[in-house]
Amino acid sequence: MDTRKRRLLEALIDDYIATAEPVGSRTLARKYGLGISPATIRNEMADLEELGYLEQPHTSAGRVPSDKGYRYYVDEIMRPAILDLEERERIRHAYQVRVRELHWFIHQTARLVSELTQYPSLVVAPPLAQATLSDLSFMPLGADTVLMVLKTSGGMVESQTMLVPDDLDEEKLALLAQDFTREFRGISLEELKDRILDPLQGDINRYQELWQLALKWVTEHDGEEDKVSLAGPLNILNYPEFKDVEKVRRVLGFLERETAVELASRYFSEGVQVVIGAESAFDDIQDCSLVTATYRSGGNVVGHLLVLGPKRMHYNRVTSIVEAVSEELSRVLHG
Amino acid sequence: MDTRKRRLLEALIDDYIATAEPVGSRTLARKYGLGISPATIRNEMADLEELGYLEQPHTSAGRVPSDKGYRYYVDEIMRPAILDLEERERIRHAYQVRVRELHWFIHQTARLVSELTQYPSLVVAPPLAQATLSDLSFMPLGADTVLMVLKTSGGMVESQTMLVPDDLDEEKLALLAQDFTREFRGISLEELKDRILDPLQGDINRYQELWQLALKWVTEHDGEEDKVSLAGPLNILNYPEFKDVEKVRRVLGFLERETAVELASRYFSEGVQVVIGAESAFDDIQDCSLVTATYRSGGNVVGHLLVLGPKRMHYNRVTSIVEAVSEELSRVLHG
DNA sequence: TTTAGCACTCCGCAGAAGAGAGTGCTAACT
DNA sequence: AGTTAGCACTCTCTTCTGCGGAGTGCTAAA
């Protein structure tokens, strides 16, 4: 794999990313100043094909990068994209708002990324189960409803209204919350789950039910729908590889299915990762690529961020964006 | 328009709804026990076409209902569908949970309707601007953040965290909330908007900024994204009229665009309404139909519920479902 | 080692032919 | 007078064929 082959591969992939059409030797010679003739290029391309970096859709069509070709491109060739000032500003200012709710961050991030990349984007919230409880409190709202507010040590806030026995006045609620917080502060919600079945101690037996409810809510809250946010799904319709409705259904279906989210979030390790085509082992997205990143919130509790596009994705732009956004997100979540 | 023509039109529309293929006289004679020959049916169909109820895609194809034909079907012919016991149960139990947040109801409703109808469904929250304030309170969360909780007289709860000046301790916040509530209870959020620019009275001048913030939040909160919920967009991919990606993009784009939502919610009056094809005046959905309904929450504050599908929609099923759901939703929102 | 030339392959498109479905009209039937 | 059978006609959709274009691989020359 000499320098010329590399430059050739780069040019070919760039062209294919731009046009979605198999690239021929003539085109390559004309559009990119490689200083060699089509015939030479043909020889090189034959070599690259033999090495597995290129494929031919059929004899006498141009070449198309193979998964291995993209992989080499991503790992060895591509240079990180430099984002516009405007884009960097946009990322920097994306989170400058008063809101501190987790689902807002998730949602905002997904939208930001899908708009910058022009691909669908999915953001998975850090599993609440791994956060540690900092504070639980109740705010009475009416005769039998309270607002339960959960703060994690990461500074995130989640709240939800719920029905409670109506003999719980404000004082009792405050006491209950105090007890709860004192008892469980600093404990991960994961561990808290185990306490649910424990016999309850102390003088709060009367409100065992509410106590259980609170525990249940706290520990199961991450089963809710705002745990993951999908933005810009329609972006894929702009790419010619998705002119077939069947394919659109498969891919968007994949993104909507929660199973995919869960699997995906377990699948990827820290940092920015690129998964190309068949590398992903999910049938529905065999000819798509993923760019994923993790973000931190407080300790080593991490969430996931994911961009899905055709295999001829703008890998350098997408990885740069995804990296910048995930860093910014980690930063604001930390503060 | 005699009885036979009506029965014919009914059979034809039923068949077209089921098959999406232009219906010929032979098919009609064979599949539906009308007791007349294809030739007679042809005569009748020619009449119906002249009257504007049917159309021919081209000479010598079967007939297809026109907008006017669907309209007549919806208004005069179709009988309301009877829902399964299972479906009725599902509607009845859809809202039996502890949660009382508006966006949860919205979300849940959209999902319920799209799953029952197998079409995309959109639910628009009642504009908060028309709700009246019942109660505003703050819950301190940290040095400089509070959770603002808004209760409307309809019993809905909305909450959001925000940053505040950090010399506001719990007592001052409580006082502020008390003042705010006393001052503005029973006033619609619409009217509240005007107060923002008023010079502030009383002894709370110091916290003018927060006061303004609270007002601003309360009055502008309905600009948020959880005001409207879209569910089941991918359902349209199951219908052959959406095998063209361009069309899919137009229609789903329409559903995602907020302008469409706003226009739509202003466009429709109370009760269950059917809008067929070109009746809607929106370019992007000229060959779709809408079924809409309103729901009440407390007073005459209404939200909207919308199902979108191809013109050959199962009108009777969809209207029945939409009606049942909107009634149930109104009922639970009232309690 | 590179390049020009050339025969070859394969796709995609356009036009033609044929099948199929459905119509409208006419004439016979009840 | 209304209904039906028969039939010619129309139009679409599919299949097939032929052809141009794009691109290749190979050979031979530079």
Side-chain angles (χ1 to χ4, degrees):
Chain A
M1 194 70 170
D2 55 25
T3 323
R4 196 169 70 182
K5 282 202 177 50
R6 280 174 56 125
R7 290 191 46 199
L8 203 61
L9 184 58
E10 179 177 12
L12 188 143
I13 294 188
D14 284 345
D15 199 77
Y16 186 65
I17 287 178
T19 64
E21 297 290 335
V23 187
S25 54
R26 245 181 80 87
T27 318
L28 231 37
R30 202 172 354 100
K31 288 214 283 191
Y32 304 84
L34 298 169
I36 43 177
S37 76
T40 313
I41 294 180
R42 279 203 287 284
N43 287 329
E44 293 286 36
M45 291 208 296
D47 289 353
L48 284 169
E49 182 167 2
E50 206 163 347
L51 291 169
Y53 296 107
L54 297 181
E55 286 169 355
Q56 252 176 321
H58 49 266
T59 348
S60 114
R63 300 305 208 289
V64 160
S66 68
D67 284 10
K68 185 176 171 188
Y70 283 121
R71 169 54 60 200
Y72 188 82
Y73 177 83
V74 167
D75 290 344
E76 310 285 343
I77 300 181
M78 119 189 146
R79 290 171 296 271
I82 292 155
L83 302 181
D84 283 359
L85 180 63
E86 190 203 339
E87 293 168 329
R88 290 203 306 273
E89 287 293 307
R90 185 135 174 236
I91 294 171
R92 181 170 301 281
H93 295 137
Y95 304 109
Q96 293 189 346
V97 215
R98 312 181 297 273
V99 184
R100 289 296 297 175
E101 263 118 282
L102 187 56
H103 67 87
W104 182 85
F105 282 101
I106 301 306
H107 193 87
Q108 183 78 349
T109 304
R111 247 191 23 199
L112 177 66
V113 171
S114 80
E115 277 176 22
L116 288 174
T117 60
Q118 293 293 302
Y119 298 112
S121 160
L122 194 79
V123 179
V124 184
L128 257 189
Q130 280 169 44
T132 58
L133 179 75
S134 149
D135 202 290
L136 180 74
S137 41
F138 299 115
M139 173 181 265
L141 292 174
D144 58 352
T145 49
V146 295
L147 183 72
M148 301 183 59
V149 182
L150 166 73
K151 256 181 72 186
T152 68
S153 27
M156 284 296 100
V157 176
E158 292 285 316
S159 64
Q160 187 170 324
T161 52
M162 55 202 320
L163 295 173
V164 295
D166 57 358
D167 61 341
L168 271 171
D169 58 24
E170 190 155 354
E171 280 169 63
K172 286 178 188 154
L173 275 172
L175 205 68
L176 184 61
Q178 243 175 20
D179 287 349
F180 195 99
T181 302
R182 185 175 343 103
E183 182 86 9
F184 295 132
R185 160 169 292 165
I187 295 182
S188 86
L189 305 190
E190 185 86 72
E191 289 173 68
L192 263 183
K193 229 169 229 169
D194 304 332
R195 313 282 178 115
I196 296 186
L197 300 174
D198 276 11
L200 297 168
Q201 341 77 320
D203 52 345
I204 32 81
N205 272 337
R206 267 215 66 209
Y207 302 111
Q208 178 164 348
E209 201 190 340
L210 182 60
W211 185 276
Q212 293 283 21
L213 235 99
L215 257 173
K216 204 168 165 199
W217 174 65
V218 165
T219 55
E220 283 180 1
H221 186 268
D222 67 337
E224 297 290 309
E225 65 273 343
D226 52 345
K227 181 183 93 167
V228 26
S229 182
L230 169 65
L234 294 172
N235 280 331
I236 66 163
L237 300 182
N238 296 326
Y239 303 97
E241 28 271 278
F242 294 97
K243 68 177 196 301
D244 175 31
V245 175
E246 209 41 54
K247 202 163 159 186
V248 172
R249 175 201 274 130
R250 292 224 314 274
V251 170
L252 292 189
F254 174 83
L255 286 176
E256 284 205 344
R257 256 191 310 283
E258 296 137 34
T259 56
V261 175
E262 287 196 26
L263 282 168
S265 63
R266 276 172 210 162
Y267 192 84
F268 304 116
S269 53
E270 214 155 332
V272 175
Q273 303 267 331
V274 177
V275 181
I276 296 159
E279 293 176 1
S280 80
F282 292 112
D283 274 355
D284 290 334
I285 53 164
Q286 283 296 290
D287 40 11
C288 295
S289 283
L290 298 171
V291 175
T292 71
T294 53
Y295 60 89
R296 297 171 303 285
S297 154
N300 50 5
V301 179
V302 290
H304 292 263
L305 195 162
L306 189 155
V307 175
L308 186 145
K311 284 203 290 201
R312 49 167 205 105
M313 195 191 264
H314 288 95
Y315 291 103
N316 58 345
R317 243 187 85 73
V318 174
T319 47
S320 294
I321 289 169
V322 152
E323 187 172 11
V325 170
S326 67
E327 271 171 17
E328 178 68 13
L329 180 59
S330 299
R331 208 176 59 72
V332 294
L333 287 183
H334 196 73
Chain B
M1 195 68 170
D2 55 25
T3 322
R4 197 169 68 181
K5 282 200 178 51
R6 281 174 56 127
R7 289 191 47 198
L8 203 61
L9 184 58
E10 179 177 12
L12 189 143
I13 293 188
D14 284 345
D15 198 76
Y16 186 65
I17 287 179
T19 65
E21 298 290 335
V23 188
S25 53
R26 244 181 81 88
T27 317
L28 233 35
R30 201 173 355 101
K31 287 214 285 190
Y32 303 84
L34 298 169
I36 44 179
S37 77
T40 313
I41 294 180
R42 279 203 287 284
N43 287 330
E44 292 285 37
M45 291 209 295
D47 291 350
L48 284 169
E49 182 167 3
E50 205 164 348
L51 291 168
Y53 296 108
L54 297 181
E55 285 169 355
Q56 251 177 322
H58 49 267
T59 351
S60 117
R63 300 307 208 287
V64 160
S66 67
D67 284 11
K68 185 176 172 189
Y70 284 121
R71 171 53 60 198
Y72 187 83
Y73 177 82
V74 167
D75 289 344
E76 310 284 343
I77 299 180
M78 117 189 148
R79 290 171 296 270
I82 292 157
L83 302 182
D84 283 0
L85 179 63
E86 191 202 337
E87 293 169 329
R88 289 203 306 273
E89 288 293 306
R90 186 135 172 235
I91 294 172
R92 179 169 304 278
H93 295 136
Y95 303 109
Q96 294 189 348
V97 216
R98 311 182 295 273
V99 184
R100 290 296 296 175
E101 265 119 279
L102 187 55
H103 68 87
W104 182 85
F105 281 101
I106 301 307
H107 193 87
Q108 183 78 351
T109 304
R111 247 192 23 201
L112 177 66
V113 170
S114 80
E115 276 177 22
L116 288 174
T117 61
Q118 292 294 301
Y119 298 113
S121 158
L122 194 81
V123 179
V124 184
L128 256 189
Q130 281 169 43
T132 58
L133 178 75
S134 150
D135 203 290
L136 179 76
S137 40
F138 299 114
M139 173 181 266
L141 292 174
D144 56 352
T145 48
V146 297
L147 184 72
M148 301 182 61
V149 182
L150 167 73
K151 258 182 71 186
T152 68
S153 26
M156 283 297 99
V157 177
E158 292 286 315
S159 64
Q160 187 168 327
T161 52
M162 55 201 322
L163 294 173
V164 295
D166 58 357
D167 61 339
L168 271 171
D169 58 21
E170 190 155 354
E171 280 169 62
K172 286 178 187 153
L173 275 171
L175 206 67
L176 183 61
Q178 241 174 23
D179 287 349
F180 194 99
T181 301
R182 186 176 341 99
E183 183 85 8
F184 295 134
R185 161 169 293 167
I187 295 182
S188 86
L189 305 190
E190 184 87 73
E191 289 173 67
L192 263 184
K193 230 171 228 166
D194 306 332
R195 313 283 178 112
I196 296 185
L197 300 173
D198 277 10
L200 297 169
Q201 339 76 321
D203 52 345
I204 32 82
N205 273 336
R206 267 214 68 209
Y207 302 111
Q208 178 165 348
E209 203 190 338
L210 182 61
W211 184 276
Q212 293 283 20
L213 235 99
L215 257 173
K216 204 166 163 202
W217 173 66
V218 165
T219 55
E220 281 180 1
H221 186 268
D222 67 337
E224 297 290 310
E225 64 274 341
D226 53 345
K227 180 182 95 168
V228 25
S229 183
L230 169 65
L234 293 163
N235 281 332
I236 65 163
L237 300 181
N238 296 325
Y239 303 98
E241 29 272 279
F242 295 96
K243 70 176 192 302
D244 175 31
V245 175
E246 209 41 54
K247 201 163 160 187
V248 172
R249 176 201 273 126
R250 291 224 315 275
V251 170
L252 292 189
F254 174 83
L255 286 176
E256 283 205 344
R257 256 192 309 284
E258 295 136 34
T259 57
V261 174
E262 286 196 26
L263 282 169
S265 63
R266 277 174 208 158
Y267 191 82
F268 304 115
S269 52
E270 212 154 333
V272 175
Q273 303 265 330
V274 177
V275 181
I276 297 159
E279 294 176 0
S280 80
F282 292 112
D283 273 356
D284 290 335
I285 52 165
Q286 284 295 292
D287 41 10
C288 295
S289 284
L290 299 171
V291 175
T292 72
T294 53
Y295 60 91
R296 298 172 302 287
S297 153
N300 50 6
V301 180
V302 289
H304 292 264
L305 196 161
L306 188 155
V307 175
L308 185 145
K311 286 205 288 201
R312 50 169 204 104
M313 194 191 265
H314 288 95
Y315 291 103
N316 59 345
R317 244 187 84 75
V318 174
T319 49
S320 295
I321 288 169
V322 152
E323 186 173 12
V325 170
S326 67
E327 271 172 16
E328 178 68 12
L329 180 59
S330 300
R331 206 176 61 70
V332 292
L333 288 182
H334 197 73

